[in-house]
Amino acid sequence: SQKIEQNSEALNIQEGKTATLTCNYTNYSPAHLQWYRQDPGRGPVFLLLIRENEKEKRKERLKVTFDTTLKQSLFHITASQPADSATYLCALDGGYQKVTFGTGTKLQVIP
Amino acid sequence: DTAVSQTPKYLVTQMGNDKSIKCEQNLGHDTMYWYKQDSKKFLKIMFSYNNKELIINETVPNRFSPKSPDKAHLNLHINSLELGDSAVYFCASSGRGGASYNEQFFGPGTRLTVL
């Protein structure tokens, strides 16, 4: 069966360091992969989308990589700030209006 | 100017009751969704509608009945509520149909508590 795993339930890092979050999937051939941020008591907010033929995508301090051979995406936040503390969700888009979400990683940036 | 809105934000009810959650989007999107987020924060798709037509039903019990009167609205009616229905329900919409990008715009969520 299809499975999407984000390898850490929680990740604590020091302010200013780079946070790296991992998303692994099995039995899936996504067309695109998306990353979302969710703050407590709120709905997820879309951050970045990377297509299957793209290796890397950047947006300000965010960088996403997508390796369809390893079936893995890495999500990096450089120069992390306490305001980056949130839960980050990866989501696989196989098309046809179906997006499947991973289990999420709760990031805590410590001042 | 809220993009995706849901009402109510909180819903506390007794087992066996019937309740509805309403969702509206003003983004002009063709596709709307209902997701359930459980206590472990796992977000799972329940239904998807495209232009008022049901296109995804993820083996949700038939006590859950979505209704889309027009493409800007997708309501969720739940009959005979059970304890296990307690969760946060999110409505979402996306702007493209078919095998294309499906960036999701989420509402604020409805926290349902069944006692």
Side-chain angles (χ1 to χ4, degrees):
Chain A
S1 61
Q2 295 170 349
K3 212 170 174 185
I4 304 165
E5 283 182 335
Q6 294 184 243
N7 68 338
S8 307
E9 259 193 53
L11 180 66
N12 294 333
I13 63 160
Q14 209 67 36
E15 182 177 3
K17 301 288 186 190
T18 296
T20 299
L21 284 62
T22 306
C23 176
N24 294 293
Y25 59 93
T26 55
N27 297 325
Y28 208 111
S29 296
H32 316 291
L33 188 143
Q34 304 174 7
W35 283 90
Y36 290 78
R37 169 184 173 140
Q38 186 174 21
D39 291 285
R42 295 181 175 267
V45 174
F46 173 80
L47 295 175
L48 274 171
L49 178 149
I50 186 164
R51 286 175 267 186
E52 59 181 337
N53 59 354
E54 295 177 319
K55 295 288 184 195
E56 185 179 296
K57 200 83 169 273
R58 290 176 187 258
K59 180 182 174 183
E60 297 170 355
R61 294 183 297 112
L62 307 181
K63 184 177 92 170
V64 171
T65 63
F66 192 14
D67 189 325
T68 54
T69 303
L70 290 179
K71 295 188 183 293
Q72 182 181 79
S73 175
L74 299 179
F75 177 82
H76 307 272
I77 307 175
T78 57
S80 59
Q81 304 164 0
D84 296 326
S85 298
T87 296
Y88 291 86
L89 302 162
C90 72
L92 298 183
D93 178 1
Y96 304 105
Q97 286 87 42
K98 185 170 177 181
V99 174
T100 304
F101 283 83
T103 45
T105 296
K106 186 173 180 180
L107 175 67
Q108 185 79 28
V109 181
I110 303 161
Chain B
D1 58 349
T2 305
V4 182
S5 58
Q6 293 178 231
T7 53
K9 186 151 174 67
Y10 300 97
L11 191 49
V12 181
T13 188
Q14 299 286 334
M15 249 184 355
N17 283 351
D18 304 337
K19 289 292 177 188
S20 292
I21 308 171
K22 295 187 175 183
C23 177
E24 177 180 1
Q25 55 94 4
N26 62 6
L27 298 166
H29 287 165
D30 291 333
T31 307
M32 294 185 73
Y33 310 79
W34 279 109
Y35 287 88
K36 178 180 180 180
Q37 190 168 47
D38 60 24
S39 57
K40 294 187 178 176
K41 307 298 183 189
F42 181 54
L43 191 64
K44 187 169 164 52
I45 192 167
M46 300 172 68
F47 300 104
S48 168
Y49 269 74
N50 181 262
N51 277 321
K52 303 191 297 174
E53 280 192 40
L54 178 68
I55 51 173
I56 293 173
N57 179 342
E58 285 290 297
T59 59
V60 177
N62 58 15
R63 297 183 295 105
F64 290 79
S65 50
K67 282 197 172 46
S68 183
D70 55 63
K71 74 175 193 177
H73 296 84
L74 179 62
N75 304 323
L76 183 65
H77 188 76
I78 316 170
N79 288 328
S80 304
L81 278 154
E82 299 177 357
L83 293 176
D85 297 333
S86 295
V88 181
Y89 292 83
F90 286 101
C91 177
S93 70
S94 68
R96 296 175 185 257
S100 183
Y101 314 141
N102 284 324
E103 173 191 339
Q104 311 276 292
F105 290 78
F106 282 86
T110 295
R111 181 174 291 278
L112 171 65
T113 303
V114 182
L115 304 174

